[in-house]
Amino acid sequence: MAISAIKGMNDILPGDVETWQFLEQKVREVFGTYGFNEIRTPVAEKTELFCRSIGETTDIVEKEMYTFLDKSEKNSLTLRPEGTAPVMRSFIQNRLHALDPVNKLYYMGPMFRYERPQKGRYRQFHQIGAEVIGVENPMIDAQLLAMLHHYFCEIGIEAVQLQINSLGCPACRPAYRQVLISYLESRLDNLCGDCQRRYQTNPLRVLDCKVSSCKESTTDAPSVLDHLCGECEEHFDAVKRHLCTLDIPFVVNARMVRGLDYYVRTTFELVTDQLGSQNAVAAGGRYDGLVESLDGPALPGIGFAIGVERLVLMKGEAKVPARRPDLFIATMGQEAADKAFVLMSQLQRTGIRAEMDYQGKSLKAQMRRANKLAARYSLVLGEQELQSGEADLKDMDQSTQQKIVLSELVDLMGKLRASA
Ligand code: ATP
Ligand code: MG
């Protein structure tokens, strides 16, 4: 039996890959404009990195990681479930803070989580992420969100809502956590099994639970926003003010908590109603203590990650079309094929996408293929054309043709493409 791919891990085929390339190209353009540089880290890291940063009681570390011992049977490795921890590990290891007090980095690549595969949720999926390390000023929170908003405008996805919240900091969150635990204690019977288990270890997660009984029984839960310390409140107010100044639309969602332990203060999600229960297209927040907790310098940080598969699903019908050939050269006879082969190679050298037939097909079959590939122009080369040095260049879109001199074909195609 033929071998198939691993469940939850997908191929990205021609026809779809053009959309991926478009999304990636726009990342380079937009993120580049905001001064971000790309960083590439390995897909596997020491398991410890994720346990220490993401948190032992999170869904990711508790049940979603691809963890294995390598051949030495001494090293526990994990396929990265997210991008922030590896970027911080690299940042510290390579002492990037010594080169520049402010680091703006972005990454794109596959992430791995052992989840139940379904629409918008896979075991290998891709994230586009950005991180700013070294700035505490709430202006950078707003700037990062402005960049995210700008990116979504550029890629033509508008059906998203920006939700923001503040999760407080180590000074104010413990007190809120206690208030929440007491509140949950009186409603334990109505909570799902997961929440009954985690209300002590990770009570904020209960607010985020998708189970309806958990939602219903916590509608009047105390709000984290009523328990922020003065500094966190000031920070959150400033973020909202800057977003308003920049005309970035948002709503405050006091129940939004993120599934990773390292978040403090500003957190946010871009949500859509187009993807069923997989409603978050992008998410992120501030992680001021993270770099220090990984034995790096005490520098603040903030970042986000976009789920690329979910972007592609949202693009739906508006997928980016495959690139069409500029010219298809159809041939009759071996001599014409030899000539076409040289012409095609010359054209390709100048950046013109030229195609021909290699299989000795009939002229009719070759023209069918030219049509199928949606070639912009076509040209038939036979004995007569070789002798006269002239041929008819057919404009396949307009159904018109013009006589051309074969020796001028490369120049002419260059001009036609430039004016297209
Ligand atoms: P969700 O609530 O959907 O599980 P999450 O909170 O686990 O998301 P993050 O860790 O914040 O997600 O990752 C950021 C983004 O990556 C998500 O908003 C989503 O678009 C995407 N993402 C996360 N997990 C998956 C997955 N298994 N398959 C596809 N995309 C994913
Ligand atoms: Mg998840």
Side-chain angles (χ1 to χ4, degrees):
M1 207 166 67
I3 298 167
S4 58
I6 296 167
K7 188 175 166 205
M9 304 201 179
N10 302 311
D11 302 311
I12 303 163
L13 302 175
D16 286 328
V17 85
E18 291 76 16
T19 303
W20 286 75
Q21 290 168 342
F22 166 79
L23 296 171
E24 289 159 4
Q25 183 52 32
K26 288 292 175 193
V27 167
R28 296 192 180 96
E29 281 171 30
V30 176
F31 292 19
T33 306
Y34 289 75
F36 284 70
N37 289 310
E38 187 180 0
I39 182 167
R40 302 185 188 194
T41 64
V43 291
E45 297 276 353
K46 293 179 183 164
T47 302
E48 188 194 346
L49 173 67
F50 300 111
C51 298
R52 264 174 67 185
S53 55
I54 299 172
E56 297 278 2
T57 61
T58 57
D59 280 356
I60 293 181
V61 173
E62 273 185 350
K63 49 191 184 196
E64 296 174 359
M65 293 209 301
Y66 275 93
T67 297
F68 56 95
L69 289 175
D70 71 6
K71 286 271 185 216
S72 77
E73 296 197 357
K74 286 191 203 113
N75 306 314
S76 175
L77 309 186
T78 294
L79 298 184
R80 61 181 184 193
E82 58 101 44
T84 301
V87 170
M88 296 311 127
R89 193 267 311 137
S90 173
F91 173 85
I92 296 165
Q93 183 176 348
N94 296 294
R95 297 184 47 78
L96 298 186
H97 47 97
L99 304 175
D100 195 333
V102 177
N103 275 267
K104 298 192 219 170
L105 303 167
Y106 75 85
Y107 59 85
M108 319 190 236
M111 305 294 158
F112 304 84
R113 295 186 195 175
Y114 196 79
E115 301 198 73
R116 194 169 67 78
Q118 53 197 289
K119 183 182 167 198
R121 192 176 293 287
Y122 311 99
R123 290 181 173 175
Q124 175 176 313
F125 63 100
H126 296 74
Q127 285 186 338
I128 293 167
E131 317 284 357
V132 183
I133 310 153
V135 187
E136 199 181 351
N137 191 327
M139 272 183 182
I140 207 72
D141 306 39
Q143 163 96 133
L144 196 72
L145 289 169
M147 181 171 89
L148 190 60
H149 181 260
H150 184 172
Y151 178 69
F152 274 73
C153 292
E154 281 291 317
I155 61 173
I157 295 183
E158 277 158 20
V160 285
Q161 183 188 53
L162 171 63
Q163 301 189 346
I164 64 168
N165 193 18
S166 174
L167 292 183
C169 68
C172 53
R173 192 156 62 198
Y176 170 67
R177 204 172 162 273
Q178 231 26 71
V179 171
L180 190 59
I181 289 178
S182 316
Y183 168 87
L184 293 172
E185 228 146 34
S186 61
R187 287 160 176 78
L188 265 193
D189 292 345
N190 301 327
L191 301 183
C192 72
D194 268 350
C195 287
Q196 288 184 356
R197 187 175 47 81
R198 69 185 165 199
Y199 91 98
Q200 287 266 7
T201 52
N202 206 341
L204 274 73
R205 281 302 272 171
V206 178
L207 298 180
D208 197 35
C209 184
K210 307 275 188 290
V211 178
S212 53
S213 61
C214 293
K215 275 190 194 161
E216 282 155 21
S217 56
T218 59
T219 45
D220 60 346
S223 164
V224 62
L225 295 178
D226 296 332
H227 293 82
L228 297 181
C229 62
E231 282 177 34
C232 284
E233 196 170 313
E234 224 172 87
H235 189 95
F236 193 50
D237 285 344
V239 173
K240 289 185 288 186
R241 200 172 62 244
H242 292 316
L243 286 175
C244 290
T245 313
L246 299 180
D247 272 335
I248 308 295
F250 67 92
V251 297
V252 173
N253 175 3
R255 291 178 67 94
M256 190 222 320
V257 305
R258 303 285 310 122
L260 298 82
D261 275 1
Y262 52 61
Y263 285 122
V264 295
R265 292 194 171 167
T266 319
T267 52
F268 50 88
E269 277 186 3
L270 272 188
V271 299
T272 175
D273 54 13
Q274 294 186 354
L275 295 177
S277 54
Q278 273 56 258
N279 66 345
V281 201
R286 207 166 243 292
Y287 45 78
D288 291 348
L290 178 61
V291 180
E292 195 178 9
S293 79
L294 293 171
D295 299 323
L299 289 173
I302 181 167
F304 63 72
I306 307 171
V308 188
E309 280 79 0
R310 294 186 192 179
L311 284 188
V312 174
L313 282 170
M314 286 191 75
K315 288 285 287 176
E317 292 303 303
K319 274 196 328 202
V320 177
R323 291 178 68 184
R324 11 180 348 199
D326 296 309
L327 175 68
F328 189 96
I329 311 176
T331 59
M332 290 183 292
Q334 188 56 50
E335 212 183 317
D338 289 347
K339 174 72 178 170
F341 181 63
V342 175
L343 278 174
M344 178 183 72
S345 307
Q346 287 172 344
L347 286 162
Q348 288 165 336
R349 281 272 170 173
T350 66
I352 306 287
R353 290 188 300 276
E355 287 279 348
M356 66 178 282
D357 163 64
Y358 306 96
Q359 290 159 309
K361 292 257 171 71
S362 72
L363 187 59
K364 211 167 142 199
Q366 292 184 56
M367 291 316 290
R368 261 205 307 274
R369 183 160 156 76
N371 269 318
K372 183 158 185 266
L373 294 172
R376 181 69 180 82
Y377 292 92
S378 71
L379 188 83
V380 178
L381 278 191
E383 223 168 279
Q384 197 196 321
E385 285 78 12
L386 292 182
Q387 260 169 24
S388 65
E390 290 184 346
D392 290 325
L393 181 69
K394 185 169 177 198
D395 183 325
M396 305 282 279
D397 286 357
Q398 316 280 342
S399 293
T400 56
Q401 53 186 44
Q402 54 174 313
K403 264 264 173 289
I404 60 129
V405 178
L406 280 178
S407 60
E408 292 168 3
L409 179 64
V410 175
D411 277 355
L412 179 65
M413 283 307 300
K415 283 189 198 125
L416 284 174
R417 219 182 58 156
S419 65

